[in-house]
Amino acid sequence: MHQGVGVSAVEYTGNGFGKLLLFGEHAAVYGYPALGLALPLRTTVRLVDEVPRTELNRSMSRSRLSAPHLPEKDREIVQALWEDLFRFAGDRSAPDNRSTHNDTGNLLEHLRERQFTLHVWSNVPRSRGLGSSAAACAALAGAWTAMEAMEANAKLPDSQHATWLLAHKLEHRFHGTPSGIDTGLAVYGGCRSFLFNGGELPETQLLPHPAFPIVAAAVPRRSDTKALVASIRRRREAGDPVVHQALAQLGRISEQAIRAVAAGAPAETVAAAANEADSLLTALELDSEQVRYGLRLAREYGAVGGKISGAGGGGAFLAIFGPDRAEAAAAFAAALPAQIEKQGGEAEAIVISPPQLTPPSTKAESTTSGPS
Ligand code: PMV
């Protein structure tokens, strides 16, 4: 893309993966650790600086971000996130840690003078508990972090952590109190544990990728995460013993599953933990008819276990297959949408393959990149 004579527009790119929560949903709200897996699905944001650096036109009216390819509703959200970025960047110290607050202010003022166009591409299903908002926040934060580093002529000491923090802050616009799990998986990818130690973000550790196929599936939700978390909280605060016991057991299962996955446990061990967690989530009334149907179908295709994933009430679920059952996992993922459609519903499913089976086109990519 060219502006003016012989001067190219500058472009910054950020990526964010979708996610599948393996263990720890709801228990994580009360401080128990969680385990999640990035999906081979992602959102990519390209932030194009349309005004060449050499031709800054000061007389141009102050422009904000334009995202002409997005639907009207999304444009409003993107505009709000863009304003958030300026606010958060203004709040924090400048990237090289030596610049003064004033330098950051100057940089933001400078960015305000420019015309940016945002291009978004995504194959993460929306509103299904598969981390679409976190993926979008991570992608936008990644592109912004790359741009800021370039503008400040500074390399961030840990640009991925800066991206995660920014993405986490942006996610407040979607979820009042995000845990940081979704944005952590969106930014870093891989299979990760999350420990809540009272910091702004949880501590995360990269674990070995499960050496067996897992199918991530999802159906529409009847309620959102905020409402589901609030209903469990109300019952817990009212002293409901089922809720107290279930949350403690879900937390314990998550801790054990993290240790098991860290030690490279076989599919059967992880599947047994998933089945146990699923019974507890069902006891918490987080189940849905379509999810139950999907999990039964997975069994028919040879899954060794499965569970509700995330907040429940529809949304995401997962099925675990033995390491030699890649074809069965693929057949289940292909059959599920049509089967659920026959019953008047809708579903999506994707196989998360062990790394050695991952086709090259779905390999993890870095979350940020500089100008291209
Ligand atoms: O929004 P979901 O479906 O990915 O669920 C988030 C997991 C919860 O534990 C229910 C909420 C949280 O913030 O930890």
Side-chain angles (χ1 to χ4, degrees):
M1 202 179 297
H2 291 271
Q3 291 264 338
V5 182
V7 185
S8 298
V10 180
E11 180 177 311
Y12 305 91
T13 308
N15 289 297
F17 297 106
K19 73 94 193 14
L20 180 70
L21 201 51
L22 297 180
F23 290 97
E25 49 276 280
H26 289 285
V29 175
Y30 305 98
Y32 290 102
L35 179 63
L37 192 55
L39 296 176
L41 301 174
R42 67 166 202 270
T43 295
T44 296
V45 160
R46 288 192 300 120
L47 191 56
V48 183
D49 181 352
E50 303 285 0
V51 178
R53 225 169 296 279
T54 51
E55 295 184 6
L56 257 185
N57 183 354
R58 298 269 164 199
S59 66
M60 191 176 72
S61 65
R62 283 195 162 208
S63 65
R64 298 199 294 182
L65 183 72
S66 98
H69 313 290
L70 293 179
E72 180 63 32
K73 196 160 169 275
D74 290 352
R75 282 210 292 265
E76 283 168 23
I77 298 169
V78 160
Q79 205 66 61
L81 292 171
W82 185 244
E83 289 306 320
D84 286 346
L85 283 167
F86 275 88
R87 193 155 46 84
F88 299 144
D91 288 347
R92 74 167 190 235
S93 61
D96 66 358
N97 287 335
R98 278 176 285 129
S99 304
T100 62
H101 183 74
N102 214 15
D103 289 333
T104 309
N106 290 343
L107 171 64
L108 294 177
E109 193 60 26
H110 178 60
L111 292 177
R112 278 282 190 208
E113 304 279 346
R114 309 242 285 269
Q115 172 68 52
F116 290 94
T117 307
L118 190 84
H119 300 264
V120 182
W121 177 91
S122 182
N123 60 359
V124 184
R126 291 171 76 161
S127 308
R128 296 281 201 270
L130 294 175
S132 62
S133 62
C137 291
L140 185 57
W144 175 277
T145 307
M147 176 182 71
E148 234 188 350
M150 179 71 184
E151 289 295 334
N153 211 5
K155 193 108 192 90
L156 291 175
D158 180 355
S159 75
Q160 278 198 315
H161 193 269
T163 300
W164 184 16
L165 193 55
L166 202 50
H168 177 64
K169 289 180 174 178
L170 292 177
E171 229 214 336
H172 281 76
R173 194 163 277 283
F174 297 91
H175 305 289
T177 52
S179 61
I181 299 172
D182 293 14
T183 45
L185 287 164
V187 170
Y188 289 100
C191 181
R192 299 193 153 266
S193 63
F194 293 87
L195 299 182
F196 299 91
N197 289 338
E200 188 169 6
L201 288 171
E203 278 175 31
T204 182
Q205 204 181 348
L206 182 67
L207 302 184
H209 198 288
F212 42 83
I214 297 177
V215 175
V219 298
R221 291 180 129 165
R222 66 162 184 265
S223 186
D224 62 16
T225 299
K226 203 171 163 189
L228 291 158
V229 167
S231 82
I232 298 292
R233 188 187 294 281
R234 267 196 306 277
R235 287 169 61 192
R236 182 177 176 269
E237 283 170 2
D240 184 334
V242 172
V243 171
H244 276 267
Q245 278 169 25
L247 289 172
Q249 279 176 279
L250 284 166
R252 176 187 53 79
I253 294 169
S254 186
E255 284 163 1
Q256 287 171 351
I258 289 168
R259 281 199 293 276
V261 168
E268 289 72 19
T269 306
V270 181
N275 292 339
E276 204 187 333
D278 188 59
S279 303
L280 293 161
L281 292 165
T282 302
L284 287 175
E285 297 164 31
L286 296 167
D287 201 11
S288 91
E289 224 171 86
Q290 285 186 3
V291 166
R292 203 46 42 196
Y293 172 81
L295 286 168
R296 267 202 310 275
L297 191 68
R299 284 283 189 175
E300 286 171 22
Y301 275 81
V304 281
K307 66 185 276 292
I308 295 165
S309 162
F317 61 100
L318 65 92
I320 297 169
F321 289 78
D324 54 348
R325 305 304 302 276
E327 282 177 18
F332 165 64
L336 180 77
Q339 291 301 325
I340 289 207
E341 216 170 288
K342 271 189 202 160
Q343 305 174 10
E346 55 178 284
E348 274 137 310
I350 182 161
V351 182
I352 309 173
S353 304
Q356 67 273 21
L357 296 177
T358 306
S361 62
T362 58
K363 273 196 179 144
E365 292 170 26
S366 71
T367 48
T368 60
S369 68
S372 52

